[in-house]
Amino acid sequence: MNIDDKLYLNRYIIDQFSHLAIKDQQVCTDCKDKPCLTFCPARVYEWKDEHIVVGYEGCLECGACRVGCPYDNVDWVYPRGGFGVQFRLA
Amino acid sequence: MNKYDVIIVGAGVAGLSAAYVLAKAGVNVVVLERGLNPGSKNVMGGVLYRQMMEELIPEFWKDAPLERPIVEQRFWLMGKDAVTSGGYKDLEWSKPPYNNFTVFRGKFDAWFASKCVEAGALIINETVAVECIVKEGKVVGVRTTRPDGDLYANVVILADGVNSLLARRLGFHKEWRPSQVALAIMEQIKLPALTIEERFNVASGQGVTIELYGDATLGMMGTAFIYTNKEHVSIGCGTLLSQLSQSKITPYDLLDRLKQHPLVEPLIKGGEAVEYYAHLIPEGGYHSVPKLVGNGVMIIGDAAQLVNGIHREGSNLAMTSGRLAAEAYLIAHRVGDFDERMLSPYAVAITESYVIKDLKKYKNATHIMEKNPAYFNTYLPAVNEAAKEFLSVDGRPKRSKQWLILKRFFGHRGWFRSLWEIIKLGRSMK
């Protein structure tokens, strides 16, 4: 089961604004390992055309990218009230 | 001006426990929740402990939405095609007063919140608290994202979960390090109740938890878990973020690998995945617990790193911390003074309770295991090798097998070093 299928199981109320932002794209360009590309459980971060694309729509709001970014380069806040993933079970 | 006695940030079990005690005592309390309703953002492996919940609501199990009372806890040390297993089953746990239950937080927290409302608390959903409002060195309220969203109170209780953004902004702690949190992910697999009971060998309505180590996390520090709900099985894995980050494996590949493990797959075969979760778990333990009390503010639950990772306990620590913070408030309320000194009975009470005592008992254990990967990637697999050697009947004499087992266990890293490492870990848990 690939990650897109997993995310598709969830209910999201998607805001038009991203609650996640890269502070400085150059820092990501210079980051050798780019660990966020692999450890993010929702594959929010992708490396495309020489920069990081932030697919905030599938974010599970765990906070791993904020803690795990080696350069503290993620501007991380919660989605606005009522937006984002809404779990039914858990 | 919107003024309350107490504002609680976050409607998880910590925040709701505090809200319940305060509302029952007639305090004007408001709980801010960022989800559509309480529970919709809350994720936990699924075990809720009876004792600490009952200290709040006696015989809650008669009314609360629960999945299954757990009658058996199993432990699996996983190899690639093998497992060394242990466990404890007790049918006393299938009857009142029970030991613990699996729950769906989406349902349980909504129910718990409704009890708080019945007791007189106000719950405001769809509202994000951005920061504490500080005046003259004292927390006096909370700024929210709503228009005119400044709320004021005598005391703010931060129950905003593991990310703990508000306490960090107050300078109570720094950003967590990747070695202070585990990243856990989980899927909910739908299966008929009867199928679950047959596969896990329990009577109708009873539940099982399995904690899996070793190959289940590819030797990374952490555990995988399989918990039975009424008509779902929770399956997930959690590893220290620092180690996951270095491993170059995605968490969802790790989970899929677990689901396909030949010893796990039969348990969930034919089931349909219906929801997918991720959550950070505070694993820093005793050394990571921040300052718990300030002028006009207290921190409870995950926000204060109150999780006992070794025993996978968290919801109980959250509930106890919420109750103790509320009780400290009630004393301050009578005096009408809410500075750090007046609220400090919370810090004292929690230090004297099992919460901090248990964290203190294991204060160096996680650190020792995290610094030395051998515990998870060498010694745990060696247990499996030892069991295999001991139980395979192949014509070799037992004495030579014993020797081989010892050699396998201690030989990998040298006798003296291994012995020292094992004593060191043992001592850190005494």
Side-chain angles (χ1 to χ4, degrees):
Chain A
M1 194 178 189
N2 72 35
I3 181 61
D4 293 327
D5 292 337
K6 287 188 200 293
L7 297 172
Y8 193 70
L9 302 171
N10 294 342
R11 177 184 179 214
Y12 290 94
I13 300 175
I14 296 171
D15 199 344
Q16 62 197 105
F17 309 105
S18 173
H19 62 288
L20 308 170
I22 299 294
K23 290 179 188 168
D24 180 354
Q25 280 284 353
Q26 189 58 42
V27 171
C28 298
T29 308
D30 296 341
C31 175
K32 227 176 79 196
D33 291 336
K34 300 182 185 34
C36 61
L37 302 182
T38 47
F39 74 61
C40 169
R43 206 170 65 193
V44 164
Y45 301 95
E46 286 190 87
W47 183 249
K48 265 187 196 159
D49 306 325
E50 297 303 298
H51 73 293
I52 296 271
V53 180
V54 183
Y56 71 94
E57 296 89 344
C59 177
L60 296 162
E61 301 166 28
C62 67
C65 58
R66 194 192 71 251
V67 178
C69 172
Y71 301 102
D72 186 24
N73 198 33
V74 182
D75 195 351
W76 196 98
V77 294
Y78 286 120
R80 286 194 295 158
F83 287 97
V85 68
Q86 308 288 334
F87 295 119
R88 290 160 289 139
L89 306 171
Chain B
M1 193 163 89
N2 297 310
K3 173 87 201 248
Y4 302 89
D5 290 334
V6 179
I7 299 168
I8 297 171
V9 181
V13 285
L16 293 172
S17 298
Y20 187 80
V21 173
L22 292 170
K24 276 272 178 193
V27 169
N28 183 14
V29 54
V30 61
V31 185
L32 304 179
E33 165 55 39
R34 65 189 186 88
L36 281 183
N37 41 57
S40 58
K41 298 285 186 181
N42 302 347
V43 175
M44 140 175 131
V47 179
L48 185 108
Y49 297 87
R50 189 266 315 163
Q51 168 78 33
M52 291 73 191
M53 187 65 206
E54 225 191 345
E55 285 165 7
L56 300 163
I57 305 181
E59 300 195 335
F60 68 96
W61 63 78
K62 290 183 173 167
D63 188 29
L66 305 169
E67 290 299 310
R68 288 172 186 264
I70 299 307
V71 300
E72 184 178 0
Q73 296 186 198
R74 299 179 191 161
F75 305 94
W76 285 12
L77 299 182
M78 308 285 288
K80 273 204 180 341
D81 300 295
V83 62
T84 308
S85 63
Y88 179 70
K89 186 169 187 172
D90 193 334
L91 293 179
E92 283 287 308
W93 289 346
S94 69
K95 298 182 288 228
Y98 306 102
N99 185 37
N100 54 43
F101 305 90
T102 44
V103 301
F104 284 147
R105 293 288 300 276
K107 295 178 179 176
F108 185 84
D109 292 9
W111 171 84
F112 195 4
S114 75
K115 290 282 145 187
C116 294
V117 171
E118 270 173 40
L122 174 65
I123 295 187
I124 307 181
N125 294 319
E126 300 184 48
T127 303
V128 178
V130 189
E131 61 181 352
C132 292
I133 303 169
V134 181
K135 274 190 187 140
E136 291 161 6
K138 184 183 180 311
V139 173
V140 294
V142 163
R143 185 151 293 137
T144 74
T145 46
R146 288 185 178 255
D148 302 318
D150 287 4
L151 306 180
Y152 294 87
N154 298 329
V155 167
V156 174
I157 297 180
L158 301 178
D160 53 339
V162 58
N163 284 299
S164 193
L165 301 183
L166 270 60
R168 182 161 70 97
R169 279 194 84 143
L170 284 177
F172 278 36
H173 61 80
K174 296 199 177 96
E175 182 59 89
W176 310 128
R177 292 186 305 274
S179 59
Q180 283 174 304
V181 293
L183 174 60
I185 68 167
M186 175 172 84
E187 273 178 36
Q188 213 54 260
I189 311 279
K190 194 162 172 53
L191 280 168
L194 207 61
T195 308
I196 292 174
E197 284 148 11
E198 280 171 9
R199 290 183 186 179
F200 288 83
N201 187 31
V202 283
S204 176
Q206 298 175 356
V208 174
T209 61
I210 313 176
E211 322 291 332
L212 308 91
Y213 307 86
D215 187 68
T217 56
L218 279 174
M220 284 182 277
M221 184 170 160
T223 53
F225 53 91
I226 301 171
Y227 299 159
T228 57
N229 301 302
K230 271 183 190 152
E231 293 184 317
H232 297 81
V233 172
S234 304
I235 180 164
C237 50
T239 52
L240 272 194
L241 182 57
S242 50
Q243 297 195 356
L244 181 73
S245 191
Q246 283 162 15
S247 75
K248 313 279 183 208
I249 187 169
T250 68
Y252 35 92
D253 286 343
L254 190 65
L255 178 58
D256 278 351
R257 192 178 165 278
L258 174 71
K259 286 169 67 183
Q260 287 155 16
H261 191 287
L263 298 170
V264 170
E265 199 261 352
L267 293 174
I268 54 168
K269 196 176 165 186
E272 181 200 356
V274 295
E275 205 160 41
Y276 171 64
Y277 317 85
H279 197 66
L280 290 181
I281 302 171
E283 294 282 352
Y286 182 77
H287 294 301
S288 299
V289 175
K291 182 173 147 73
L292 295 171
V293 178
N295 290 323
V297 64
M298 294 183 271
I299 311 176
I300 61 177
D302 277 11
Q305 286 256 344
L306 301 179
V307 166
N308 179 347
I310 301 219
H311 288 259
R312 63 110 162 89
E313 291 177 24
S315 59
N316 50 335
L317 282 67
M319 290 185 282
T320 300
S321 65
R323 178 173 61 78
L324 294 177
E327 287 169 357
Y329 174 83
L330 293 177
I331 299 168
H333 189 89
R334 261 176 257 141
V335 183
D337 184 355
F338 307 98
D339 67 7
E340 185 172 335
R341 190 180 45 89
M342 279 309 295
L343 298 177
S344 63
Y346 161 54
V348 174
I350 202 157
T351 305
E352 285 170 0
S353 76
Y354 76 93
V355 175
I356 297 292
K357 280 186 176 158
D358 285 357
L359 293 182
K360 203 168 180 179
K361 171 170 156 60
Y362 298 116
K363 66 181 191 296
N364 295 321
T366 357
H367 187 61
I368 286 172
M369 289 188 279
E370 183 243 325
K371 267 183 66 178
N372 185 349
Y375 292 110
F376 275 79
N377 68 20
T378 304
Y379 296 123
L380 277 181
V383 173
N384 257 320
E385 291 172 26
K388 181 174 189 172
E389 198 62 57
F390 190 65
L391 297 169
S392 296
V393 177
D394 53 12
R396 280 180 297 153
K398 303 295 182 215
R399 193 173 298 269
S400 72
K401 278 173 175 285
Q402 265 174 20
W403 176 243
L404 209 65
I405 286 170
L406 285 172
K407 221 167 106 182
R408 287 240 169 107
F409 204 84
F410 292 104
H412 283 295
R413 300 170 59 77
W415 289 80
F416 283 114
R417 189 172 170 198
S418 295
L419 205 60
W420 167 239
E421 283 172 341
I422 300 222
I423 291 171
K424 195 169 153 190
L425 184 66
R427 276 189 9 199
S428 78
M429 298 200 193
K430 72 169 190 283

